[in-house]
Amino acid sequence: MTGNPNQCPASGIPLLQYLCEEGSSFDPEKLQKRKYSKGQVIIHHMSEENDVFFLLSGRALAFLTSVDGTELAFDEIQHGSYFGELAAIDGGPRSASVCALTDVELVQVSSEAFLQMIETKPHFALALIKDFAKSVRNLSNRNFELATKPVSERVKSLIVREALERNQLFDGGVLKPALTHADIAQRIGARREAVSRSLSDMVSKGVIKTERQTIRILDAGSLTDLNEASL
């Protein structure tokens, strides 16, 4: 075993670097790589599997499906992030489904190995706790938006978050590929028709310009002034 990150198949993922540290009892060669195609479900809500997945490349989406078939997205999972840790920790069923938004490559870690790292690596456990705290804050903000803000402001908040993540929050910034109306509705818990009306209103007011798979920001100030409290 060596701590050389070039020999670790999970190189580039901060939390998994602890598995490759010198002196770790875990053999990084045992990490299982998996590939999923765009649209493929990686884990299913309420399933009993409890492995943890770390995203090497691509993007995934955590979501729930209601009885009438409506999907509500919780979070987009980016490269370097992970999911499935709740079931690994408490032994319960999966709390949500996760599907691939693009073709993805993952590292799959057994719940036993994950729990062993929590028990034996204080720095690993602390990093995990900090991630949990960040997730709780984000969920609290999203719940506040759902409970108190109209659809128009939730749409604007989502555009701002997307622009911040892509370093495009300025006049002339471009989101491409942009989320579809259906994607936005899924993310904010609204009807597609309401999202379309909100976007059309923003276009008519000169805040954004929409083109095929593109949202161009024309007036970033109008977005941020209305969303500072919810970012």
Side-chain angles (χ1 to χ4, degrees):
M1 248 297 293
T2 176
N4 186 345
N6 293 326
Q7 297 182 14
C8 178
S11 180
I13 300 180
L15 200 61
L16 273 189
Q17 294 306 307
Y18 292 102
L19 293 175
C20 304
E21 285 183 338
E22 188 72 37
S24 173
S25 60
F26 186 83
D27 182 0
E29 295 301 324
K30 294 181 179 180
L31 294 176
Q32 302 178 61
K33 285 189 176 182
R34 296 281 187 267
K35 291 184 178 181
Y36 291 83
S37 301
K38 178 180 179 181
Q40 190 173 358
V41 176
I42 302 167
I43 62 175
H44 294 266
H45 180 222
M46 298 303 294
S47 65
E48 298 297 329
E49 298 92 350
N50 55 9
D51 287 354
V52 183
F53 295 87
F54 292 79
L55 199 56
L56 290 177
S57 65
R59 297 179 294 120
L61 183 71
F63 67 96
L64 284 175
T65 304
S66 67
V67 175
D68 65 1
T70 301
E71 291 184 352
L72 176 63
F74 283 101
D75 194 21
E76 182 174 317
I77 304 165
Q78 304 281 351
H79 162 259
S81 298
Y82 56 93
F83 56 92
E85 72 281 2
L86 295 183
I89 291 172
D90 67 9
R94 296 297 195 188
S95 59
S97 297
V98 176
C99 69
L101 285 176
T102 64
D103 291 346
V104 301
E105 185 175 16
L106 303 160
V107 166
Q108 185 173 347
V109 179
S110 69
S111 60
E112 292 80 7
F114 191 76
L115 291 174
Q116 181 186 33
M117 290 300 297
I118 294 175
E119 294 170 354
T120 61
K121 293 285 185 180
H123 293 302
F124 180 93
L126 179 59
L128 189 65
I129 291 171
K130 288 182 177 179
D131 281 350
F132 280 166
K134 181 179 179 180
S135 296
V136 170
R137 290 180 187 275
N138 289 339
L139 285 174
S140 296
N141 289 337
R142 298 292 175 85
N143 287 337
F144 177 78
E145 284 187 5
L146 288 173
T148 65
K149 293 184 179 296
V151 171
S152 59
E153 291 198 27
R154 278 144 56 190
V155 171
K156 291 175 183 176
S157 292
L158 179 58
I159 292 175
V160 170
R161 287 196 295 270
E162 285 286 309
L164 286 171
E165 290 176 0
R166 305 187 197 189
N167 296 316
Q168 293 293 311
L169 188 56
F170 52 84
D171 291 355
V174 176
L175 303 182
K176 184 176 182 177
L179 296 173
T180 66
H181 293 198
D183 289 336
I184 294 173
Q186 184 186 50
R187 301 287 182 89
I188 67 172
R191 295 290 183 184
R192 180 176 178 176
E193 295 78 11
V195 169
S196 297
R197 287 194 296 271
S198 296
L199 289 171
S200 295
D201 183 60
M202 294 170 67
V203 170
S204 67
K205 292 179 179 178
V207 178
I208 62 172
K209 180 180 180 181
T210 57
E211 302 164 353
R212 182 174 177 81
Q213 296 185 328
T214 303
I215 293 178
R216 188 177 303 275
I217 298 173
L218 303 180
D219 187 356
S222 294
L223 292 175
T224 55
D225 286 348
L226 292 174
N227 284 277
E228 285 180 353
S230 61
L231 296 180

Coordinates of all heavy atoms in Angstrom, one line a residue, residues 118-176:
I118 N -14.9 5.6 9.1 CA -15.5 6.5 10.1 C -15.0 6.2 11.4 O -14.6 7.1 12.2 CB -17.0 6.4 10.1 CG1 -17.6 7.0 8.7 CG2 -17.6 7.2 11.2 CD1 -19.1 6.8 8.6
E119 N -14.8 4.9 11.7 CA -14.4 4.5 13.1 C -12.9 4.7 13.3 O -12.5 4.9 14.4 CB -14.8 3.0 13.3 CG -16.3 2.8 13.3 CD -16.6 1.3 13.2 OE1 -15.7 0.5 13.1 OE2 -17.8 0.9 13.4
T120 N -12.1 4.6 12.2 CA -10.7 4.6 12.4 C -10.0 5.8 11.9 O -8.8 6.0 12.3 CB -10.0 3.4 11.7 OG1 -10.3 3.5 10.3 CG2 -10.6 2.1 12.2
K121 N -10.6 6.7 11.2 CA -10.0 7.9 10.6 C -10.8 9.1 11.1 O -11.8 9.5 10.5 CB -10.0 7.8 9.1 CG -9.1 6.8 8.5 CD -7.7 7.1 8.6 CE -6.8 6.1 7.9 NZ -5.4 6.5 8.0
P122 N -10.3 9.8 12.2 CA -11.0 11.0 12.7 C -11.2 12.1 11.6 O -12.2 12.8 11.6 CB -10.2 11.4 13.9 CG -9.4 10.2 14.3 CD -9.2 9.4 13.0
H123 N -10.2 12.3 10.8 CA -10.2 13.3 9.8 C -11.3 13.0 8.8 O -12.0 13.9 8.3 CB -8.9 13.5 9.1 CG -7.8 14.1 10.0 ND1 -7.9 15.3 10.7 CD2 -6.6 13.6 10.4 CE1 -6.9 15.5 11.4 NE2 -6.0 14.5 11.3
F124 N -11.4 11.8 8.4 CA -12.5 11.3 7.5 C -13.8 11.6 8.1 O -14.8 12.1 7.5 CB -12.3 9.8 7.2 CG -13.3 9.2 6.3 CD1 -13.1 9.2 4.9 CD2 -14.5 8.7 6.8 CE1 -14.0 8.6 4.0 CE2 -15.4 8.1 5.9 CZ -15.2 8.1 4.5
A125 N -14.0 11.2 9.4 CA -15.3 11.4 10.1 C -15.7 12.9 10.2 O -16.8 13.3 10.0 CB -15.3 10.8 11.4
L126 N -14.7 13.7 10.5 CA -14.9 15.2 10.6 C -15.3 15.7 9.2 O -16.2 16.6 9.2 CB -13.7 15.9 11.1 CG -13.8 17.4 11.3 CD1 -14.9 17.7 12.2 CD2 -12.5 18.0 11.8
A127 N -14.6 15.3 8.2 CA -15.0 15.8 6.8 C -16.4 15.4 6.5 O -17.2 16.2 5.9 CB -14.0 15.3 5.8
L128 N -16.8 14.2 6.9 CA -18.2 13.7 6.6 C -19.2 14.5 7.4 O -20.2 14.9 6.8 CB -18.3 12.3 7.0 CG -19.5 11.5 6.6 CD1 -19.6 11.4 5.1 CD2 -19.5 10.1 7.2
I129 N -18.9 14.8 8.6 CA -19.8 15.6 9.5 C -20.0 17.0 8.9 O -21.1 17.6 8.8 CB -19.3 15.7 10.9 CG1 -19.4 14.4 11.6 CG2 -20.0 16.8 11.7 CD1 -18.7 14.3 12.9
K130 N -18.9 17.6 8.4 CA -19.0 19.0 7.8 C -19.9 18.9 6.5 O -20.6 19.9 6.3 CB -17.6 19.5 7.5 CG -16.8 19.9 8.7 CD -15.4 20.4 8.3 CE -14.6 20.9 9.5 NZ -13.3 21.4 9.1
D131 N -19.7 17.8 5.8 CA -20.6 17.7 4.6 C -22.1 17.6 5.0 O -22.9 18.1 4.3 CB -20.2 16.5 3.8 CG -18.9 16.7 2.9 OD1 -18.5 17.9 2.8 OD2 -18.4 15.7 2.4
F132 N -22.3 16.8 6.1 CA -23.7 16.7 6.6 C -24.2 18.1 7.0 O -25.4 18.4 6.7 CB -23.7 15.7 7.7 CG -23.7 14.3 7.4 CD1 -23.5 13.3 8.3 CD2 -24.0 13.9 6.1 CE1 -23.5 12.0 8.0 CE2 -23.9 12.5 5.7 CZ -23.7 11.6 6.7
A133 N -23.4 18.8 7.7 CA -23.9 20.2 8.1 C -24.2 21.1 6.9 O -25.2 21.8 6.9 CB -22.8 20.8 9.0
K134 N -23.4 21.0 5.9 CA -23.7 21.8 4.7 C -25.0 21.3 4.0 O -25.8 22.2 3.5 CB -22.5 21.6 3.7 CG -22.7 22.4 2.4 CD -21.4 22.2 1.5 CE -21.6 23.0 0.2 NZ -20.4 22.8 -0.7
S135 N -25.2 20.0 4.0 CA -26.4 19.5 3.3 C -27.7 19.9 4.1 O -28.7 20.3 3.5 CB -26.4 17.9 3.3 OG -25.3 17.5 2.5
V136 N -27.6 19.9 5.5 CA -28.7 20.3 6.3 C -29.0 21.8 6.0 O -30.2 22.2 5.9 CB -28.4 20.1 7.8 CG1 -29.5 20.8 8.6 CG2 -28.4 18.6 8.1
R137 N -28.0 22.6 5.9 CA -28.2 24.1 5.6 C -28.9 24.2 4.3 O -29.8 25.0 4.1 CB -26.9 24.8 5.6 CG -26.2 25.0 7.0 CD -24.9 25.7 6.9 NE -24.2 25.7 8.2 CZ -24.4 26.6 9.1 NH1 -25.4 27.5 9.0 NH2 -23.7 26.6 10.2
N138 N -28.4 23.5 3.3 CA -29.0 23.6 1.9 C -30.4 23.2 1.9 O -31.3 23.8 1.3 CB -28.2 22.8 0.9 CG -26.8 23.4 0.6 OD1 -26.6 24.6 0.9 ND2 -25.9 22.6 0.2
L139 N -30.7 22.1 2.6 CA -32.1 21.6 2.6 C -33.0 22.6 3.3 O -34.2 22.7 3.0 CB -32.1 20.2 3.3 CG -31.6 19.0 2.4 CD1 -31.6 17.8 3.2 CD2 -32.5 18.8 1.2
S140 N -32.5 23.2 4.4 CA -33.3 24.1 5.1 C -33.7 25.3 4.3 O -34.8 25.8 4.3 CB -32.5 24.6 6.4 OG -32.3 23.6 7.3
N141 N -32.7 25.8 3.5 CA -32.9 26.9 2.6 C -34.0 26.5 1.5 O -34.8 27.3 1.2 CB -31.6 27.4 1.9 CG -30.7 28.1 2.9 OD1 -31.1 28.6 3.9 ND2 -29.4 28.1 2.6
R142 N -33.8 25.3 0.9 CA -34.8 24.9 -0.1 C -36.2 24.7 0.5 O -37.2 25.1 -0.2 CB -34.3 23.5 -0.7 CG -32.9 23.6 -1.3 CD -33.0 24.4 -2.6 NE -31.6 24.5 -3.2 CZ -31.1 23.6 -4.0 NH1 -31.7 22.5 -4.3 NH2 -29.9 23.8 -4.5
N143 N -36.3 24.2 1.7 CA -37.6 24.0 2.3 C -38.2 25.4 2.6 O -39.5 25.6 2.4 CB -37.5 23.3 3.6 CG -37.2 21.8 3.4 OD1 -37.5 21.2 2.4 ND2 -36.7 21.1 4.4
F144 N -37.4 26.3 3.0 CA -37.9 27.7 3.2 C -38.5 28.3 1.9 O -39.5 28.9 1.9 CB -36.8 28.6 3.7 CG -37.2 30.0 3.9 CD1 -37.9 30.4 5.0 CD2 -36.8 31.0 3.0 CE1 -38.3 31.7 5.2 CE2 -37.2 32.3 3.2 CZ -37.9 32.7 4.3
E145 N -37.7 28.1 0.8 CA -38.2 28.6 -0.5 C -39.5 27.9 -0.9 O -40.5 28.6 -1.3 CB -37.2 28.2 -1.6 CG -35.9 29.2 -1.6 CD -35.1 28.9 -2.8 OE1 -35.4 28.1 -3.6 OE2 -34.0 29.5 -2.8
L146 N -39.6 26.6 -0.7 CA -40.9 25.9 -1.1 C -42.0 26.4 -0.3 O -43.2 26.5 -0.8 CB -40.7 24.4 -0.9 CG -39.8 23.7 -2.0 CD1 -39.5 22.3 -1.5 CD2 -40.4 23.8 -3.4
A147 N -41.8 26.7 1.0 CA -42.9 27.1 1.9 C -43.3 28.5 1.7 O -44.5 28.9 2.0 CB -42.5 26.8 3.3
T148 N -42.4 29.4 1.3 CA -42.7 30.8 1.4 C -42.6 31.6 0.1 O -43.2 32.7 0.0 CB -41.7 31.5 2.4 OG1 -40.4 31.4 1.9 CG2 -41.8 30.8 3.8
K149 N -41.9 31.1 -0.9 CA -41.7 31.9 -2.1 C -42.6 31.4 -3.2 O -42.8 30.2 -3.4 CB -40.2 31.8 -2.5 CG -39.3 32.5 -1.5 CD -37.8 32.4 -2.0 CE -36.9 33.1 -0.9 NZ -37.2 34.6 -0.8
P150 N -43.0 32.4 -4.0 CA -43.8 32.0 -5.2 C -42.9 31.4 -6.3 O -41.7 31.5 -6.2 CB -44.3 33.4 -5.7 CG -43.4 34.4 -5.2 CD -42.9 33.9 -3.9
V151 N -43.5 30.8 -7.3 CA -42.8 30.0 -8.3 C -41.8 31.0 -9.0 O -40.6 30.6 -9.2 CB -43.7 29.4 -9.3 CG1 -43.0 28.9 -10.5 CG2 -44.6 28.3 -8.7
S152 N -42.2 32.2 -9.3 CA -41.3 33.1 -10.0 C -40.0 33.3 -9.3 O -38.9 33.3 -9.9 CB -42.0 34.5 -10.2 OG -42.3 35.1 -9.0
E153 N -40.0 33.5 -7.9 CA -38.8 33.7 -7.2 C -38.0 32.4 -7.1 O -36.7 32.5 -7.0 CB -39.1 34.3 -5.8 CG -39.6 35.7 -5.9 CD -39.5 36.4 -4.5 OE1 -38.6 36.1 -3.7 OE2 -40.3 37.3 -4.3
R154 N -38.6 31.3 -7.0 CA -37.9 30.0 -6.9 C -37.2 29.7 -8.2 O -36.1 29.2 -8.3 CB -38.9 28.9 -6.6 CG -39.2 28.8 -5.1 CD -40.6 28.4 -4.8 NE -41.0 27.1 -5.4 CZ -42.3 26.7 -5.4 NH1 -43.2 27.5 -4.8 NH2 -42.6 25.6 -5.9
V155 N -37.8 30.1 -9.4 CA -37.1 30.0 -10.7 C -35.9 30.9 -10.7 O -34.8 30.4 -11.1 CB -38.1 30.4 -11.8 CG1 -37.3 30.4 -13.1 CG2 -39.2 29.4 -11.9
K156 N -36.0 32.1 -10.2 CA -34.9 33.0 -10.2 C -33.8 32.5 -9.3 O -32.6 32.6 -9.7 CB -35.3 34.4 -9.8 CG -36.2 35.1 -10.8 CD -36.7 36.4 -10.3 CE -37.7 37.1 -11.3 NZ -38.3 38.3 -10.8
S157 N -34.1 32.0 -8.2 CA -33.1 31.5 -7.2 C -32.4 30.3 -7.9 O -31.1 30.2 -7.7 CB -33.8 31.0 -5.9 OG -34.3 32.0 -5.2
L158 N -33.1 29.5 -8.6 CA -32.4 28.3 -9.3 C -31.4 28.8 -10.4 O -30.3 28.3 -10.5 CB -33.4 27.4 -9.9 CG -32.9 26.2 -10.6 CD1 -32.0 25.3 -9.7 CD2 -34.0 25.3 -11.1
I159 N -31.9 29.8 -11.1 CA -31.0 30.4 -12.2 C -29.7 31.0 -11.5 O -28.6 30.8 -12.1 CB -31.8 31.4 -13.0 CG1 -32.8 30.7 -13.8 CG2 -30.8 32.2 -13.9 CD1 -33.7 31.7 -14.6
V160 N -29.9 31.7 -10.4 CA -28.8 32.3 -9.8 C -27.8 31.2 -9.3 O -26.6 31.3 -9.4 CB -29.2 33.1 -8.6 CG1 -28.0 33.6 -7.7 CG2 -29.9 34.4 -9.1
R161 N -28.3 30.1 -8.7 CA -27.5 29.0 -8.2 C -26.7 28.4 -9.3 O -25.5 28.1 -9.2 CB -28.3 28.0 -7.4 CG -28.7 28.5 -6.1 CD -29.2 27.3 -5.2 NE -30.4 26.6 -5.8 CZ -31.6 27.0 -5.4 NH1 -31.9 28.0 -4.6 NH2 -32.7 26.3 -6.0
E162 N -27.4 28.2 -10.5 CA -26.8 27.6 -11.6 C -25.7 28.5 -12.2 O -24.6 28.0 -12.5 CB -27.8 27.3 -12.7 CG -28.7 26.1 -12.5 CD -28.0 24.8 -12.7 OE1 -27.4 24.6 -13.8 OE2 -28.1 24.0 -11.8
A163 N -26.0 29.8 -12.2 CA -25.0 30.8 -12.7 C -23.8 30.8 -11.8 O -22.6 30.9 -12.3 CB -25.6 32.1 -12.9
L164 N -24.0 30.8 -10.5 CA -22.9 30.8 -9.6 C -22.0 29.6 -9.7 O -20.7 29.7 -9.7 CB -23.4 30.9 -8.1 CG -23.9 32.2 -7.7 CD1 -24.6 32.1 -6.3 CD2 -22.8 33.3 -7.6
E165 N -22.6 28.4 -9.9 CA -21.8 27.2 -10.0 C -21.0 27.2 -11.3 O -19.9 26.6 -11.4 CB -22.8 26.0 -10.0 CG -23.4 25.7 -8.7 CD -24.4 24.6 -8.7 OE1 -24.6 24.0 -9.8 OE2 -25.0 24.2 -7.6
R166 N -21.5 27.9 -12.3 CA -20.8 27.9 -13.6 C -20.0 29.2 -13.8 O -19.4 29.4 -14.9 CB -21.8 27.8 -14.8 CG -22.7 26.5 -14.7 CD -23.5 26.4 -15.9 NE -24.7 25.5 -15.7 CZ -25.5 25.1 -16.7 NH1 -25.3 25.5 -17.9 NH2 -26.5 24.3 -16.5
N167 N -19.9 30.0 -12.8 CA -19.2 31.3 -12.9 C -19.7 32.2 -14.0 O -18.9 32.8 -14.7 CB -17.6 31.0 -13.1 CG -17.0 30.3 -11.9 OD1 -17.3 30.6 -10.7 ND2 -16.2 29.3 -12.2
Q168 N -21.0 32.2 -14.1 CA -21.7 33.0 -15.2 C -22.6 34.0 -14.6 O -23.5 34.6 -15.4 CB -22.4 32.1 -16.1 CG -21.5 31.1 -16.9 CD -20.7 31.9 -17.9 OE1 -21.1 32.7 -18.7 NE2 -19.4 31.6 -17.9
L169 N -22.5 34.4 -13.4 CA -23.5 35.4 -12.8 C -23.0 36.8 -13.1 O -22.5 37.5 -12.2 CB -23.6 35.1 -11.3 CG -24.7 35.9 -10.6 CD1 -26.1 35.7 -11.3 CD2 -24.8 35.6 -9.1
F170 N -23.2 37.2 -14.3 CA -22.9 38.6 -14.7 C -23.7 38.9 -16.0 O -24.2 38.0 -16.6 CB -21.4 38.8 -15.0 CG -20.8 37.8 -15.9 CD1 -20.9 37.9 -17.3 CD2 -20.2 36.6 -15.4 CE1 -20.3 37.0 -18.2 CE2 -19.6 35.7 -16.3 CZ -19.7 35.9 -17.7
D171 N -23.8 40.2 -16.3 CA -24.5 40.6 -17.5 C -23.8 40.0 -18.7 O -22.6 40.2 -18.9 CB -24.5 42.1 -17.6 CG -25.4 42.8 -16.6 OD1 -26.1 42.0 -15.8 OD2 -25.5 44.0 -16.5
G172 N -24.5 39.2 -19.5 CA -23.9 38.5 -20.6 C -23.5 37.1 -20.3 O -23.1 36.4 -21.2
G173 N -23.7 36.7 -19.0 CA -23.4 35.3 -18.7 C -24.3 34.3 -19.4 O -25.5 34.6 -19.7
V174 N -23.8 33.1 -19.7 CA -24.5 32.2 -20.5 C -24.6 30.8 -19.8 O -23.5 30.3 -19.4 CB -23.9 32.0 -21.9 CG1 -24.6 30.9 -22.7 CG2 -23.9 33.3 -22.7
L175 N -25.8 30.3 -19.7 CA -26.0 29.0 -19.2 C -26.3 28.0 -20.3 O -27.4 28.1 -20.9 CB -27.1 29.0 -18.2 CG -27.0 29.9 -17.0 CD1 -28.2 29.7 -16.0 CD2 -25.7 29.7 -16.2
K176 N -25.3 27.2 -20.7 CA -25.5 26.3 -21.8 C -24.7 25.0 -21.6 O -23.5 25.1 -21.4 CB -25.1 27.0 -23.1 CG -25.3 26.1 -24.4 CD -24.9 26.9 -25.6 CE -25.3 26.0 -26.9 NZ -25.0 26.8 -28.1

